[in-house]
């Protein structure tokens, strides 16, 4: 049995621990560095829009996301993690769907996300979830890339997905 709920600031330590252990394709130092992409401020200020999935083992997946304060139409998915034992079982889809539903209920009509152009699994997942890559300043293997998006040498693929508005009750 699993439960998806809004994140809490108290989830931060567990989320960071999962980032540091679930990304087994990286060295421990690289995994610690990756966990710096999830500072506590995300769970302090965006806990209601971030999601945690729990099961009998504790946190089994999480999604850090927020609604743009600058554009009332947009929401953004910043970071997602799924226990490696559960990958391919629809858990990521479950979190994204819950985020989409909550964003649409809040009047958001578009969701954005980014990933590395070398992260083929993430690219395939985002496309399967209905995201479309945005035009970049160059192409890599037919994929539009934004050069130095997150600083020198940190190219990204930028995605967007339209949401259907939630009918008023």
């Amino acid at each position: 049995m699993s439960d998806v709920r809004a994140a809490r600031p108290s989830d931060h330590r567990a989320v960071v621990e999962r980032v540091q252990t679930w990304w087994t394709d990286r060295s421990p130092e690289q995994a610690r560095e990756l966990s710096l992409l999830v500072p506590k401020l995300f769970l302090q200020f965006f806990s209601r829009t971030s999601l945690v999935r729990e099961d009998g083992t504790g946190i089994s997946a999480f999604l850090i996301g927020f609604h743009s304060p600058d554009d009332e139409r947009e929401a953004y998915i910043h970071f997602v993690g799924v226990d490696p034992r559960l990958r391919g079982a629809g858990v990521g889809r479950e979190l994204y769907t819950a985020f989409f539903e909550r964003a649409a209920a809040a009047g958001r009509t578009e969701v954005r996300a980014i990933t590395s152009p070398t992260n083929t699994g993430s690219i395939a997942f985002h496309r399967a979830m209905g995201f479309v890559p945005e035009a970049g300043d160059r192409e890599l293997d037919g994929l539009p890339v934004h050069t130095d998006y997150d600083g020198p040498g940190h190219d990204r693929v930028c995605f967007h997905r339209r949401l259907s508005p939630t009918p008023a009750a």
Side-chain angles (χ1 to χ4, degrees):
M1 179 73 182
S2 69
D3 185 33
V4 173
R5 62 168 173 80
R8 297 185 287 255
S10 60
D11 293 322
H12 182 255
R13 179 181 300 253
V15 167
V16 166
E17 288 171 357
R18 274 132 183 99
V19 172
Q20 292 179 1
T21 58
W22 288 349
W23 272 261
T24 57
D25 62 332
R26 299 166 189 258
S27 71
E29 180 57 36
Q30 290 170 324
R32 276 191 298 279
E33 188 174 310
L34 185 65
S35 73
L36 295 175
L37 293 175
V38 188
K40 191 169 188 171
L41 71 90
F42 278 107
L43 297 181
Q44 287 176 305
F45 298 105
F46 303 111
S47 60
R48 287 183 303 161
T49 55
S50 295
L51 303 170
V52 166
R53 181 186 188 270
E54 292 181 303
D55 60 20
T57 67
I59 293 176
S60 58
F62 63 89
L63 181 152
I64 307 298
F66 56 90
H67 299 167
S68 172
D70 293 337
D71 188 334
E72 293 182 2
R73 298 168 298 169
E74 293 186 340
Y76 181 77
I77 296 174
H78 172 67
F79 201 102
V80 180
V82 175
D83 184 325
R85 296 172 296 158
L86 299 174
R87 291 182 187 154
V91 174
R93 177 175 293 280
E94 176 185 21
L95 287 175
Y96 271 62
T97 299
F99 184 83
F100 296 157
E101 289 169 355
R102 292 169 184 217
R108 305 300 166 140
T109 58
E110 182 138 343
V111 177
R112 296 186 179 279
I114 64 170
T115 195
S116 166
T118 60
N119 192 339
T120 56
S122 177
I123 292 165
F125 176 79
H126 282 91
R127 284 182 160 158
M129 291 301 300
F131 282 86
V132 177
E134 297 178 355
D137 61 347
R138 68 184 175 91
E139 283 197 12
L140 179 65
D141 297 327
L143 193 63
V145 173
H146 296 253
T147 304
D148 298 335
Y149 182 89
D150 276 333
H154 297 280
D155 303 344
R156 299 291 180 256
V157 177
C158 299
F159 289 100
H160 70 274
R161 182 189 192 276
R162 298 224 183 271
L163 297 176
S164 299
T166 300

